[in-house]
């Protein structure tokens, strides 16, 4: 006789009686891990964050945050922002990349520190805001800021990337605001004056630094590179009229230098800013 098919074993009584929704599963409900929002700036880190970091081990290389920051500035000056990495910096310092992270949490933190270290070079302008006429003080602060941007072509990029609220940057901003407070502008107009001055200098210094870097990459002096560019422009008659300003034609022929043209343009632009501030202050008086 054919056998009856074997029936599957009945589940345990408890499992049979438990409603499906109450049965325990091997995998529990999926949990989502809450993530903290990114920190806006290293300068806004909570004070207890630094205190809670583990003690830094002593090393034969004598590492500390100041030394690492200084090395980062030198590497950025030498090779530029695009090639910068923690591994490359560690190689220059003769240490491992992991050893750097005892002193800074991230590459972004280190770049913020490097940016403020560059602004520390403006500390010599400390007395420029306290005495004398405000136009002189404004011109001196603007010239110092421009020189910083040219010395460190990576600084304008980082200043536009991060909040740029390090202690040295803020000290420079306070000196500039102190100068503008003596202009006679009403308080609500001073923020606009601050923006006009800083953004003009930021743009001027950025272009100047990039031009110097482009000349170096071409293996030419800035004057030779200028004559090379002007020679190429002559081959495009539709553009030549846009570069017919007498001083620039003299420079092409070896008369005035690029630096002379640049200094004149910077001085004229600052004079226009000063004249505009004076006119607004007189109108409000």
């Amino acid at each position: 006789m054919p056998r009856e098919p074997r029936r599957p074993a009945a589940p345990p009584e408890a499992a049979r009686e438990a409603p499906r929704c109450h049965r325990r599963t091997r995998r529990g409900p999926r949990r989502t891990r809450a993530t903290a929002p990114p920190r806006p700036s290293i300068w806004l880190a909570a004070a207890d964050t630094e205190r809670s970091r583990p003690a830094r081990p002593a090393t034969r290389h004598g590492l500390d945050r100041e030394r690492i920051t200084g090395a980062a500035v030198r590497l950025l000056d030498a090779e530029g922002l695009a090639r910068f990495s923690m591994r490359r910096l560690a190689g220059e310092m003769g240490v491992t990349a992991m050893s750097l992270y005892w002193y800074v949490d991230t590459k972004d933190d280190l770049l913020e520190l490097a940016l403020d270290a560059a602004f520390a070079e403006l500390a010599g302008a400390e007395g420029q805001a306290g005495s004398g006429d405000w136009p002189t003080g404004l011109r001196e602060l603007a010239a110092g800021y421009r020189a910083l941007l040219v010395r460190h072509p990576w600084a304008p990029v980082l200043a536009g990337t991060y909040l740029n609220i390090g202690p040295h940057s803020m000290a420079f901003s306070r000196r500039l605001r102190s100068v503008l407070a003596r202009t006679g502008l009403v308080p609500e107009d001073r923020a606009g004056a601050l923006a006009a001055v800083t953004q003009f200098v930021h743009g001027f210094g950025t272009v100047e630094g990039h031009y110097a870097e482009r000349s170096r990459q071409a293996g030419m002096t800035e004057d030779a590179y200028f004559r090379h560019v002007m020679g190429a422009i002559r081959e495009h008659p539709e553009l030549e009229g846009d570069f017919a300003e007498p001083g620039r034609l003299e420079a092409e022929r070896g008369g005035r230098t690029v630096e002379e043209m640049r200094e004149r343009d910077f001085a004229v632009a600052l004079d226009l800013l000063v004249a505009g501030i004076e006119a607004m202050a007189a109108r409000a008086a």
Side-chain angles (χ1 to χ4, degrees):
M1 294 179 61
R3 296 182 179 180
E4 294 183 4
R6 182 177 295 178
R7 297 179 181 180
E13 192 69 22
R16 193 167 61 235
E17 294 178 355
R20 180 177 296 273
C21 60
H22 290 163
R23 292 179 189 173
R24 299 184 64 179
T25 59
R26 183 174 297 178
R27 294 180 61 185
R30 184 173 298 176
R31 296 179 180 179
T32 58
R33 184 164 63 179
T35 57
R39 187 173 63 190
S41 169
I42 188 175
W43 306 110
L44 298 178
D48 57 353
T49 301
E50 284 298 313
R51 288 195 295 269
S52 65
R53 291 172 67 92
R56 278 67 165 169
T59 69
R60 62 186 176 87
H61 300 284
L63 286 180
D64 58 34
R65 181 176 278 188
E66 184 176 358
R67 184 184 169 205
I68 293 170
T69 302
V73 170
R74 291 190 293 274
L75 185 60
L76 286 164
D77 286 344
E79 299 187 356
L81 183 58
R83 296 187 60 190
F84 182 84
S85 70
M86 298 295 277
R87 187 180 298 275
R88 181 78 183 87
L89 176 62
E92 284 292 304
M93 300 186 72
V95 300
T96 65
M98 287 305 299
S99 65
L100 301 179
Y101 288 106
W102 282 98
Y103 304 92
V104 291
D105 286 336
T106 66
K107 175 183 171 182
D108 285 330
D109 283 356
L110 180 54
L111 290 175
E112 278 197 88
L113 291 169
L115 177 61
D116 199 61
F119 272 85
E121 298 171 11
L122 296 176
E126 194 69 50
Q128 295 170 354
S131 60
D133 62 288
W134 70 262
T136 299
L138 184 66
R139 289 186 177 94
E140 290 174 347
L141 289 173
Y145 184 31
R146 170 194 169 195
L148 179 152
L149 298 172
V150 174
R151 282 194 303 272
H152 307 296
W154 47 270
V157 179
L158 296 187
T161 302
Y162 302 113
L163 291 181
N164 196 20
I165 55 173
H168 295 107
S169 174
M170 296 307 296
F172 174 72
S173 179
R174 283 191 290 272
R175 291 194 294 272
L176 189 51
R177 291 199 305 271
S178 177
V179 167
L180 294 173
R182 304 201 308 269
T183 60
L185 288 173
V186 295
E188 56 266 31
D189 289 342
R190 292 175 196 163
L194 180 69
V197 173
T198 56
Q199 292 184 33
F200 155 66
V201 179
H202 181 95
F204 196 100
T206 299
V207 171
E208 182 178 355
H210 288 177
Y211 179 83
E213 180 63 23
R214 187 73 177 270
S215 301
R216 284 192 295 270
Q217 291 174 354
M220 302 180 181
T221 66
E222 293 187 29
D223 291 325
Y225 186 70
F226 178 81
R227 289 191 289 273
H228 169 70
V229 171
M230 291 299 291
I233 287 174
R234 279 203 306 272
E235 299 175 4
H236 297 269
E238 73 277 10
L239 293 176
E240 191 170 7
D242 295 322
F243 295 87
E245 194 267 326
R248 279 155 177 74
L249 295 179
E250 289 177 16
E252 182 196 353
R253 301 185 186 101
R256 293 171 59 184
T257 66
V258 169
E259 182 178 2
E260 289 172 340
M261 287 190 298
R262 205 157 44 208
E263 292 302 323
R264 175 183 176 277
D265 291 346
F266 188 75
V268 169
L270 272 181
D271 285 345
L272 291 171
L273 283 172
V274 168
I277 292 172
E278 289 175 333
M280 284 197 69
R283 195 162 62 219

